[in-house]
């Protein structure tokens, strides 16, 4: 709570304005339901191979590629808050579909709606935060938002596992989260937020022209890599644990719960701690330590043969990963602060990197092992090490 109070210093913003905006990150975290759902759906539809199951991730993350910039243009016309509210509506409808009709094709449609909603919220919510917190607190506030997002990511597999053990079934996860989306929308809707200079004419060309700024281009690629690694781990780790330790990890519910405790909880704690430390420590130093920490975890993950060592490596990855999205986003916004909407929409195109789950499914089918997919994830992470040079100059 002290961290949230520290953010309450901009434009006369009160806690009543900060809290509904920050809670929006909880709804943003619903995108991580995709990784959890993929593993359950593969069990429910045994004819699906890894490639077809991971196609569900593509149906979600494809929209980050095609709708992020149009969402930025829409946001410039109607404002950040209204754009976030529309995103909640898409999320609500998408979460209801697989509960009402549980069929592979309808699940594809549902995940597409969730992807559309999540695209819009990720484009609009990060800049909206800047309307309720002070500029010097932006990195810390975005990191706190990632903590809230990680809580939703942790709850997903645990609620699903709990429901799977009841007569209701894991699919009741969807209406539960749909109700939360609706409540979040109402809370934000009744909150008055002043937005300065939002409604202006912006074109596709002007938005993509920002990529001529080398730092923004490299940060954009960084977002691609970050989300690709996150979704790749989310979708692949349970299968990797079951493949490597079949006697100890016997079903998808158990594997998903292990992932939630050692990845999502640690990531949430790391983001919470980062939200405090980044109020005092330069984000550049924080980035370097975090990037190398995650790299060490990935190396340990690939070459350990003990379940507990692998779970420890997952926790190390989560701790290193937890603050990098917020740091990169904040550094990019600070490059051209007067174009925050355009930069936000451009960076969120990078969330389409989550579609890498499809590639990982193809690789695991090709080589007959989930280790190959994990090796791809680790190789991709090397870009985050290379990005240190740019971060130091930002």
């Amino acid at each position: 709570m002290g961290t949230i109070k520290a953010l309450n210093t901009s434009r006369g913003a009160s806690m009543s304005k900060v809290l509904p905006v920050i809670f929006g990150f909880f709804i943003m975290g619903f995108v991580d339901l995709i990784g959890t759902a993929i593993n359950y759906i593969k069990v429910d539809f045994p004819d699906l191979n890894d490639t077809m199951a991971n196609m569900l991730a593509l149906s979600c993350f494809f929209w980050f590629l095609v709708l992020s910039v149009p969402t930025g243009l829409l946001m410039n016309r109607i404002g950040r808050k209204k754009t976030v509210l529309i995103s909640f509506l898409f999320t609500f409808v998408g979460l209801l579909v697989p509960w009402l009709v549980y069929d592979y094709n309808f699940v594809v449609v549902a995940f597409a709606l969730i992807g559309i909603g999540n695209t819009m919220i990720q484009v609009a919510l990060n800049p909206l935060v800047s309307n309720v917190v002070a500029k010097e607190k932006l990195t810390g506030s975005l990191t706190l938002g990632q903590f809230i997002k990680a809580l939703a990511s942790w709850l997903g597999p645990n609620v699903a596992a709990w429901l799977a053990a009841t007569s209701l079934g894991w699919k009741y996860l969807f209406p539960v989260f749909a109700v939360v989306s609706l409540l979040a929308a109402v809370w934000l809707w009744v909150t008055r937020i002043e937005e300065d200079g939002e409604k202006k004419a912006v074109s596709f060309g002007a938005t993509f022209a920002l990529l001529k700024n080398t730092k923004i281009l490299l940060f954009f690629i960084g977002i691609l890599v970050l989300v690709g690694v996150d979704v790749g781990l989310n979708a692949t780790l349970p299968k990797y644990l079951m493949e490597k330790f079949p006697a100890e990890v016997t079903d998808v519910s158990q594997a998903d719960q292990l992932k939630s405790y050692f990845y999502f909880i640690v990531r949430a704690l790391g983001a919470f701690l980062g939200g405090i430390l980044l109020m005092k420590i330069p984000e550049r130093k924080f980035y370097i330590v975090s990037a190398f920490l995650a790299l060490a975890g990935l190396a340990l993950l690939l070459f350990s043969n003990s379940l507990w060592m692998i779970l420890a490596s997952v926790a190390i990855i989560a701790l290193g990963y937890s603050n990098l999205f917020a740091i990169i986003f904040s550094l990019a916004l600070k490059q051209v602060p007067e174009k925050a909407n355009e930069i936000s929409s451009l960076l969120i195109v990078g969330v389409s990197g989550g579609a890498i789950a499809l590639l990982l499914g193809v690789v695991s089918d090709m080589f007959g092992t989930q280790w190959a997919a994990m090796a791809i994830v680790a190789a991709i992470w090397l870009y985050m090490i290379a990005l240190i040079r740019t971060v130091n100059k930002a």
Side-chain angles (χ1 to χ4, degrees):
M1 184 63 71
T3 304
I4 296 177
K5 288 181 179 178
L7 305 178
N8 182 22
T9 58
S10 176
R11 298 176 177 84
S14 64
M15 290 288 286
S16 63
K17 294 182 179 181
V18 173
L19 290 176
V21 174
I22 293 296
F23 187 73
F25 284 92
F26 190 85
I27 311 304
M28 187 189 293
F30 290 0
V31 73
D32 288 323
L33 292 176
I34 303 301
T36 294
I38 284 173
N39 294 306
Y40 281 99
I41 289 168
K42 196 169 185 297
V43 173
D44 293 343
F45 301 96
D47 291 337
L48 296 179
N49 58 21
D50 282 335
T51 302
M52 287 300 296
N54 286 5
M55 183 70 74
L56 294 169
L58 179 62
S59 72
C60 175
F61 290 98
F62 168 78
W63 299 103
F64 289 93
L65 179 64
V66 300
L67 284 184
S68 293
V69 173
T71 297
L73 303 183
L74 174 67
M75 181 168 60
N76 280 320
R77 292 177 62 88
I78 68 173
R80 297 167 179 172
K81 177 182 168 181
K82 289 181 180 178
T83 305
V84 172
L85 289 172
I86 294 172
S87 78
F88 288 161
L89 177 62
F90 273 102
T91 302
F92 173 73
V93 175
L95 288 167
L96 286 181
V97 169
W99 177 58
L100 297 173
V101 185
Y102 190 53
D103 171 85
Y104 179 80
N105 293 325
F106 276 94
V107 171
V108 171
V109 172
F111 285 9
L113 292 171
I114 293 171
I116 292 170
N118 213 266
T119 300
M120 298 183 76
I121 193 173
Q122 295 217 36
V123 170
L125 189 61
N126 288 296
L128 184 61
V129 172
S130 67
N131 290 119
V132 295
V133 301
K135 180 180 178 181
E136 63 272 15
K137 304 296 184 182
L138 182 59
T139 300
S141 64
L142 293 180
T143 301
L144 178 62
Q146 292 300 307
F147 162 68
I148 302 299
K149 178 178 181 290
L151 288 180
S153 301
W154 168 73
L155 277 174
N158 282 281
V159 173
W162 177 74
L163 288 169
T166 70
S167 59
L168 295 175
W170 77 272
K171 295 185 294 296
Y172 271 77
L173 172 75
F174 293 111
V176 169
F177 278 57
V179 170
V180 176
S181 298
L182 186 60
L183 293 175
V186 172
W187 192 9
L188 183 61
W189 179 54
V190 299
T191 303
R192 183 172 180 175
I193 298 174
E194 298 294 330
E195 300 180 42
D196 301 326
E198 298 303 306
K199 298 178 181 179
K200 54 184 179 181
V202 179
S203 66
F204 274 86
T207 300
F208 282 103
L210 290 168
L211 291 176
K212 294 179 181 178
N213 182 316
T214 303
K215 291 177 183 176
I216 291 178
L217 173 62
L218 295 175
F219 287 145
F220 167 76
I221 298 173
I223 296 294
L224 275 171
V225 170
L226 277 175
V227 178
V229 167
D230 182 41
V231 175
L233 281 171
N234 198 7
T236 307
L237 183 61
K239 293 179 286 187
Y240 182 64
L241 293 175
M242 289 188 291
E243 173 186 281
K244 201 168 181 67
F245 308 103
E248 298 164 89
V249 185
T250 57
D251 58 51
V252 68
S253 293
Q254 183 184 5
D256 230 28
Q257 282 189 300
L258 287 172
K259 176 189 70 178
S260 74
Y261 285 117
F262 288 89
Y263 184 64
F264 286 127
I265 281 189
V266 175
R267 206 177 82 181
L269 293 174
F272 180 76
L273 181 62
I276 298 172
L277 294 178
L278 282 166
M279 300 291 180
K280 304 174 182 178
I281 299 175
E283 55 259 89
R284 294 163 182 82
K285 293 181 180 179
F286 212 99
Y287 179 96
I288 295 170
V289 173
S290 297
F292 276 110
L293 188 63
L295 180 63
L298 285 164
L300 187 62
L301 175 69
L302 288 175
F303 300 108
S304 294
N305 291 312
S306 160
L307 174 60
W308 288 106
M309 285 297 290
I310 285 183
L311 292 176
S313 73
V314 171
I316 293 170
I317 295 167
L319 192 60
Y321 183 98
S322 57
N323 298 288
L324 293 181
F325 188 96
I327 290 173
I328 289 179
F329 215 102
S330 177
L331 289 175
L333 290 177
K334 290 175 182 178
Q335 298 304 305
V336 193
E338 68 275 12
K339 295 187 177 181
N341 283 4
E342 294 92 313
I343 291 175
S344 179
S345 62
L346 192 61
L347 291 180
I348 297 304
V349 173
V351 179
S352 62
I356 195 177
L358 178 61
L359 170 63
L360 298 180
V362 172
V363 168
S364 60
D365 283 336
M366 183 183 302
F367 290 94
T369 174
Q370 300 296 328
W371 189 92
M374 285 298 189
I376 295 292
V377 170
I380 291 172
W381 188 262
L382 293 175
Y383 179 83
M384 304 309 296
I385 303 301
L387 191 61
I388 289 174
R389 183 178 180 181
T390 302
V391 168
N392 280 330
K393 295 180 179 179

